[in-house]
Amino acid sequence: MKAQFEDLKGKKVLVTGATRGIGRAIAKSLAEQGAHVVFNYREGKEGVANEMVEHLKGLGATNATPVMFDVTNTAQMKDSLDAFAKEHGVIEGLVNNAGISRDQLVLRMKEEDVAATIDTNLKGAIMVSQVLSRGFLRAENASVVNISSIVGLMGNAGQIAYAASKAGMVGLTKSLAKELGAKNVRCNAICPGFIDTDMTDALKEETKESYLSGIPMKRFGSTQEVANLVNFLLSNASSYITGETIKIDGGLYI
Ligand code: NDP
């Protein structure tokens, strides 16, 4: 099921990590809402970016603009986003979705994996928010949605750095909401549980069964269900919700 939010039409929204998985579904869903979808891609992936532009326009996007940056490269990010603002005006919505996981038990954890996880998932989200914050102050109804994870709330053996980065996003969310609330800039986090993506497809049948047994709804979520929640939070339909952390996990956390 898909809800339509009229005010997303023409809204300039940046989705990070939209080339695959959940981010791609969010970008597609925003295109169906008629938004101006902005998405980043990494150097060398111009082919994927061009294919996405055509796809998003075909779905109904007012416009679709790729911006080249890695979320761990702040200078590149700033250059690309400043160039976008010069040509198209301020970005009014942000979905901090780009993320990685390099899972390892604490005894085997490598420092470079910890650094890469925190740099991408947490520092990346903080820096994109920082670079866009001046524009948010000039936008009428800016909204930021951070894609955290249920693991950031529950913890998980073998995911120390990932869980810490996702818990950090909850702190980022609450702080940005407090700092910019008076300027009508909202910021919320969502915590997906297991979502059907390439990652869950690759799980062995018995591992899937064991995960499913812990989910009251006995199924994984769909990327469309995540996109529906993101659209709601980006839209003015959620105009008095800020600093909130919403779980979307079929009851896993209960
Ligand atoms: P994928 O691995 O399918 O996609 C990750 C995306 O992030 C890709 O587009 C990738 O780009 C991009 N990305 C990764 N690192 C960087 C970087 N340094 N700079 C720019 N872009 C980058 O992930 P999912 O769709 O599974 O997950 C999306 C988000 O949702 C993540 O933050 C994840 O932690 C979170 N999440 C996922 C859950 C799930 O069940 N899948 C559950 C809970 C949370 P590229 O194509 O260039 O690699």
Side-chain angles (χ1 to χ4, degrees):
M1 189 180 157
K2 298 173 187 177
Q4 203 66 27
F5 298 101
E6 286 305 317
D7 64 314
L8 292 182
K9 207 172 176 59
K11 190 161 184 161
K12 292 185 278 293
V13 181
L14 169 65
V15 184
T16 66
T19 49
R20 292 186 275 126
I22 294 174
R24 190 176 172 96
I26 292 170
K28 283 165 64 177
S29 183
L30 280 165
E32 287 169 350
Q33 301 280 338
H36 176 167
V37 186
V38 190
F39 61 94
N40 73 312
Y41 66 97
R42 291 196 268 189
E43 206 167 358
K45 296 206 171 167
E46 287 73 13
V48 182
N50 291 336
E51 172 264 315
M52 265 197 79
V53 168
E54 290 316 309
H55 190 56
L56 295 175
K57 285 185 176 167
L59 288 171
T62 302
N63 202 347
T65 312
V67 283
M68 198 271 282
F69 70 85
D70 187 304
V71 297
T72 62
N73 184 338
T74 307
Q76 191 184 54
M77 174 199 302
K78 201 172 171 335
D79 283 351
S80 291
L81 291 175
D82 285 352
F84 175 89
K86 241 184 205 158
E87 192 177 343
H88 300 280
V90 298
I91 287 180
E92 302 150 302
L94 165 63
V95 184
N96 276 315
N97 166 81
I100 58 167
S101 60
R102 298 206 181 155
D103 304 343
Q104 198 53 268
L105 294 171
V106 67
L107 290 176
R108 296 196 198 127
M109 222 159 55
K110 293 193 183 72
E111 187 180 353
E112 59 264 32
D113 290 336
V114 176
T117 306
I118 304 286
D119 261 12
T120 307
N121 301 2
L122 183 56
K123 185 174 161 237
I126 293 174
M127 293 319 297
V128 181
S129 307
Q130 200 263 337
V131 167
L132 294 182
S133 58
R134 201 174 294 279
F136 290 156
L137 299 180
R138 303 215 316 267
E140 259 179 47
N141 297 297
S143 174
V144 178
V145 181
N146 292 320
I147 312 296
S148 175
S149 165
I150 203 72
V151 167
L153 305 180
M154 296 169 77
N156 197 22
Q159 291 199 298
I160 288 180
Y162 181 77
S165 72
K166 293 298 180 179
M169 288 182 95
V170 173
L172 153 66
T173 301
K174 292 180 180 176
S175 303
L176 198 67
K178 284 190 169 175
E179 206 169 311
L180 301 185
K183 304 287 184 195
N184 202 32
V185 180
R186 297 183 299 112
C187 181
N188 292 288
I190 75 167
C191 292
F194 287 103
I195 305 300
D196 261 324
T197 55
D198 293 349
M199 192 183 80
T200 44
D201 279 352
L203 295 173
K204 285 190 202 140
E205 213 41 55
E206 62 261 37
T207 317
K208 261 191 200 172
E209 288 307 318
S210 125
Y211 286 149
L212 285 172
S213 67
I215 303 172
M217 292 188 76
K218 302 295 173 213
R219 66 174 179 87
F220 293 151
S222 70
T223 53
Q224 182 63 52
E225 287 171 315
V226 175
N228 286 345
L229 177 57
V230 171
N231 286 343
F232 169 68
L233 291 171
L234 287 171
S235 140
N236 253 0
S238 60
S239 53
Y240 203 49
I241 301 177
T242 196
E244 195 51 75
T245 299
I246 301 177
K247 298 185 273 293
I248 174 161
D249 66 348
L252 174 66
Y253 187 85
I254 301 168

mmCIF file of all heavy atoms in Angstrom, residues 140-164:
data_model
loop_
_atom_site.group_PDB
_atom_site.id
_atom_site.type_symbol
_atom_site.label_atom_id
_atom_site.label_comp_id
_atom_site.label_asym_id
_atom_site.label_seq_id
_atom_site.Cartn_x
_atom_site.Cartn_y
_atom_site.Cartn_z
ATOM 1 N N GLU A 140 11.314 26.137 3.810
ATOM 2 C CA GLU A 140 10.107 26.383 4.606
ATOM 3 C C GLU A 140 9.836 25.272 5.625
ATOM 4 O O GLU A 140 9.514 25.529 6.770
ATOM 5 C CB GLU A 140 8.914 26.538 3.683
ATOM 6 C CG GLU A 140 8.546 28.002 3.498
ATOM 7 C CD GLU A 140 7.395 28.182 2.570
ATOM 8 O OE1 GLU A 140 6.402 27.454 2.732
ATOM 9 O OE2 GLU A 140 7.515 29.025 1.660
ATOM 10 N N ASN A 141 9.947 24.035 5.165
ATOM 11 C CA ASN A 141 9.609 22.902 6.037
ATOM 12 C C ASN A 141 10.641 21.800 5.870
ATOM 13 O O ASN A 141 10.345 20.750 5.324
ATOM 14 C CB ASN A 141 8.235 22.331 5.656
ATOM 15 C CG ASN A 141 7.130 23.326 5.867
ATOM 16 O OD1 ASN A 141 6.882 23.745 6.988
ATOM 17 N ND2 ASN A 141 6.467 23.727 4.796
ATOM 18 N N ALA A 142 11.848 22.052 6.335
ATOM 19 C CA ALA A 142 12.893 21.044 6.132
ATOM 20 C C ALA A 142 12.696 19.863 7.087
ATOM 21 O O ALA A 142 12.244 20.031 8.219
ATOM 22 C CB ALA A 142 14.264 21.669 6.343
ATOM 23 N N SER A 143 13.031 18.691 6.586
ATOM 24 C CA SER A 143 12.895 17.485 7.419
ATOM 25 C C SER A 143 14.053 16.534 7.130
ATOM 26 O O SER A 143 14.399 16.296 5.975
ATOM 27 C CB SER A 143 11.555 16.810 7.101
ATOM 28 O OG SER A 143 11.467 15.581 7.788
ATOM 29 N N VAL A 144 14.628 16.002 8.197
ATOM 30 C CA VAL A 144 15.735 15.050 8.077
ATOM 31 C C VAL A 144 15.267 13.713 8.650
ATOM 32 O O VAL A 144 14.649 13.669 9.714
ATOM 33 C CB VAL A 144 16.978 15.536 8.884
ATOM 34 C CG1 VAL A 144 18.122 14.523 8.801
ATOM 35 C CG2 VAL A 144 17.433 16.904 8.401
ATOM 36 N N VAL A 145 15.554 12.637 7.911
ATOM 37 C CA VAL A 145 15.229 11.296 8.419
ATOM 38 C C VAL A 145 16.524 10.486 8.441
ATOM 39 O O VAL A 145 17.184 10.326 7.407
ATOM 40 C CB VAL A 145 14.174 10.590 7.535
ATOM 41 C CG1 VAL A 145 13.852 9.213 8.110
ATOM 42 C CG2 VAL A 145 12.898 11.421 7.419
ATOM 43 N N ASN A 146 16.881 10.005 9.618
ATOM 44 C CA ASN A 146 18.089 9.196 9.756
ATOM 45 C C ASN A 146 17.720 7.715 9.804
ATOM 46 O O ASN A 146 16.873 7.319 10.613
ATOM 47 C CB ASN A 146 18.832 9.585 11.040
ATOM 48 C CG ASN A 146 19.409 10.989 10.942
ATOM 49 O OD1 ASN A 146 19.917 11.379 9.880
ATOM 50 N ND2 ASN A 146 19.323 11.752 12.004
ATOM 51 N N ILE A 147 18.357 6.922 8.933
ATOM 52 C CA ILE A 147 18.070 5.482 8.951
ATOM 53 C C ILE A 147 19.034 4.827 9.933
ATOM 54 O O ILE A 147 20.189 4.540 9.610
ATOM 55 C CB ILE A 147 18.205 4.844 7.541
ATOM 56 C CG1 ILE A 147 17.454 5.671 6.473
ATOM 57 C CG2 ILE A 147 17.701 3.397 7.581
ATOM 58 C CD1 ILE A 147 15.949 5.761 6.637
ATOM 59 N N SER A 148 18.532 4.626 11.147
ATOM 60 C CA SER A 148 19.304 3.939 12.180
ATOM 61 C C SER A 148 19.023 2.442 12.035
ATOM 62 O O SER A 148 18.859 1.946 10.914
ATOM 63 C CB SER A 148 18.900 4.508 13.549
ATOM 64 O OG SER A 148 19.524 3.812 14.589
ATOM 65 N N SER A 149 18.913 1.730 13.112
ATOM 66 C CA SER A 149 18.615 0.295 13.043
ATOM 67 C C SER A 149 18.131 -0.162 14.413
ATOM 68 O O SER A 149 18.530 0.398 15.444
ATOM 69 C CB SER A 149 19.875 -0.485 12.676
ATOM 70 O OG SER A 149 19.679 -1.866 12.947
ATOM 71 N N ILE A 150 17.346 -1.194 14.416
ATOM 72 C CA ILE A 150 16.882 -1.786 15.673
ATOM 73 C C ILE A 150 18.090 -2.244 16.509
ATOM 74 O O ILE A 150 18.065 -2.215 17.735
ATOM 75 C CB ILE A 150 15.893 -2.949 15.359
ATOM 76 C CG1 ILE A 150 14.979 -3.206 16.534
ATOM 77 C CG2 ILE A 150 16.575 -4.185 14.880
ATOM 78 C CD1 ILE A 150 13.959 -2.153 16.749
ATOM 79 N N VAL A 151 19.179 -2.593 15.798
ATOM 80 C CA VAL A 151 20.408 -3.029 16.469
ATOM 81 C C VAL A 151 21.021 -1.880 17.302
ATOM 82 O O VAL A 151 21.669 -2.118 18.321
ATOM 83 C CB VAL A 151 21.408 -3.568 15.405
ATOM 84 C CG1 VAL A 151 22.799 -3.744 15.967
ATOM 85 C CG2 VAL A 151 20.899 -4.890 14.846
ATOM 86 N N GLY A 152 20.776 -0.642 16.882
ATOM 87 C CA GLY A 152 21.255 0.521 17.639
ATOM 88 C C GLY A 152 20.537 0.656 18.977
ATOM 89 O O GLY A 152 21.040 1.288 19.904
ATOM 90 N N LEU A 153 19.341 0.058 19.086
ATOM 91 C CA LEU A 153 18.567 0.127 20.327
ATOM 92 C C LEU A 153 18.757 -1.133 21.179
ATOM 93 O O LEU A 153 18.794 -1.072 22.396
ATOM 94 C CB LEU A 153 17.068 0.291 20.020
ATOM 95 C CG LEU A 153 16.677 1.477 19.132
ATOM 96 C CD1 LEU A 153 15.169 1.504 18.909
ATOM 97 C CD2 LEU A 153 17.129 2.793 19.755
ATOM 98 N N MET A 154 18.869 -2.289 20.499
ATOM 99 C CA MET A 154 18.925 -3.575 21.213
ATOM 100 C C MET A 154 20.342 -4.062 21.461
ATOM 101 O O MET A 154 20.583 -4.872 22.341
ATOM 102 C CB MET A 154 18.248 -4.678 20.373
ATOM 103 C CG MET A 154 16.778 -4.499 20.137
ATOM 104 S SD MET A 154 16.189 -5.675 18.888
ATOM 105 C CE MET A 154 16.106 -7.178 19.831
ATOM 106 N N GLY A 155 21.284 -3.628 20.607
ATOM 107 C CA GLY A 155 22.622 -4.225 20.577
ATOM 108 C C GLY A 155 22.542 -5.585 19.904
ATOM 109 O O GLY A 155 21.444 -6.134 19.715
ATOM 110 N N ASN A 156 23.672 -6.103 19.484
ATOM 111 C CA ASN A 156 23.695 -7.432 18.862
ATOM 112 C C ASN A 156 25.107 -7.988 18.916
ATOM 113 O O ASN A 156 26.059 -7.278 18.571
ATOM 114 C CB ASN A 156 23.220 -7.332 17.408
ATOM 115 C CG ASN A 156 22.834 -8.682 16.839
ATOM 116 O OD1 ASN A 156 22.537 -9.614 17.583
ATOM 117 N ND2 ASN A 156 22.855 -8.793 15.530
ATOM 118 N N ALA A 157 25.231 -9.217 19.355
ATOM 119 C CA ALA A 157 26.556 -9.847 19.400
ATOM 120 C C ALA A 157 27.151 -9.836 17.999
ATOM 121 O O ALA A 157 26.461 -10.143 17.024
ATOM 122 C CB ALA A 157 26.418 -11.279 19.908
ATOM 123 N N GLY A 158 28.402 -9.458 17.887
ATOM 124 C CA GLY A 158 29.084 -9.445 16.589
ATOM 125 C C GLY A 158 28.891 -8.149 15.822
ATOM 126 O O GLY A 158 29.384 -8.000 14.708
ATOM 127 N N GLN A 159 28.158 -7.189 16.416
ATOM 128 C CA GLN A 159 27.896 -5.935 15.688
ATOM 129 C C GLN A 159 28.199 -4.710 16.561
ATOM 130 O O GLN A 159 27.444 -3.730 16.530
ATOM 131 C CB GLN A 159 26.442 -5.896 15.222
ATOM 132 C CG GLN A 159 26.125 -6.904 14.119
ATOM 133 C CD GLN A 159 24.848 -6.550 13.358
ATOM 134 O OE1 GLN A 159 23.780 -6.524 13.958
ATOM 135 N NE2 GLN A 159 24.957 -6.258 12.071
ATOM 136 N N ILE A 160 29.286 -4.761 17.321
ATOM 137 C CA ILE A 160 29.574 -3.668 18.265
ATOM 138 C C ILE A 160 29.701 -2.315 17.564
ATOM 139 O O ILE A 160 29.040 -1.346 17.943
ATOM 140 C CB ILE A 160 30.854 -3.985 19.063
ATOM 141 C CG1 ILE A 160 30.527 -5.106 20.068
ATOM 142 C CG2 ILE A 160 31.374 -2.745 19.792
ATOM 143 C CD1 ILE A 160 31.682 -5.529 20.926
ATOM 144 N N ALA A 161 30.522 -2.243 16.524
ATOM 145 C CA ALA A 161 30.744 -0.947 15.866
ATOM 146 C C ALA A 161 29.478 -0.489 15.146
ATOM 147 O O ALA A 161 29.108 0.688 15.203
ATOM 148 C CB ALA A 161 31.910 -1.059 14.885
ATOM 149 N N TYR A 162 28.812 -1.435 14.482
ATOM 150 C CA TYR A 162 27.580 -1.096 13.761
ATOM 151 C C TYR A 162 26.528 -0.583 14.738
ATOM 152 O O TYR A 162 25.904 0.465 14.518
ATOM 153 C CB TYR A 162 27.084 -2.337 13.015
ATOM 154 C CG TYR A 162 25.819 -2.117 12.207
ATOM 155 C CD1 TYR A 162 25.863 -1.457 10.983
ATOM 156 C CD2 TYR A 162 24.584 -2.574 12.664
ATOM 157 C CE1 TYR A 162 24.709 -1.259 10.233
ATOM 158 C CE2 TYR A 162 23.424 -2.379 11.928
ATOM 159 C CZ TYR A 162 23.491 -1.727 10.707
ATOM 160 O OH TYR A 162 22.352 -1.528 9.974
ATOM 161 N N ALA A 163 26.331 -1.322 15.844
ATOM 162 C CA ALA A 163 25.328 -0.923 16.844
ATOM 163 C C ALA A 163 25.666 0.445 17.429
ATOM 164 O O ALA A 163 24.781 1.289 17.603
ATOM 165 C CB ALA A 163 25.248 -1.975 17.953
ATOM 166 N N ALA A 164 26.953 0.676 17.701
ATOM 167 C CA ALA A 164 27.365 1.963 18.274
ATOM 168 C C ALA A 164 27.100 3.094 17.282
ATOM 169 O O ALA A 164 26.616 4.170 17.649
ATOM 170 C CB ALA A 164 28.844 1.913 18.646
#
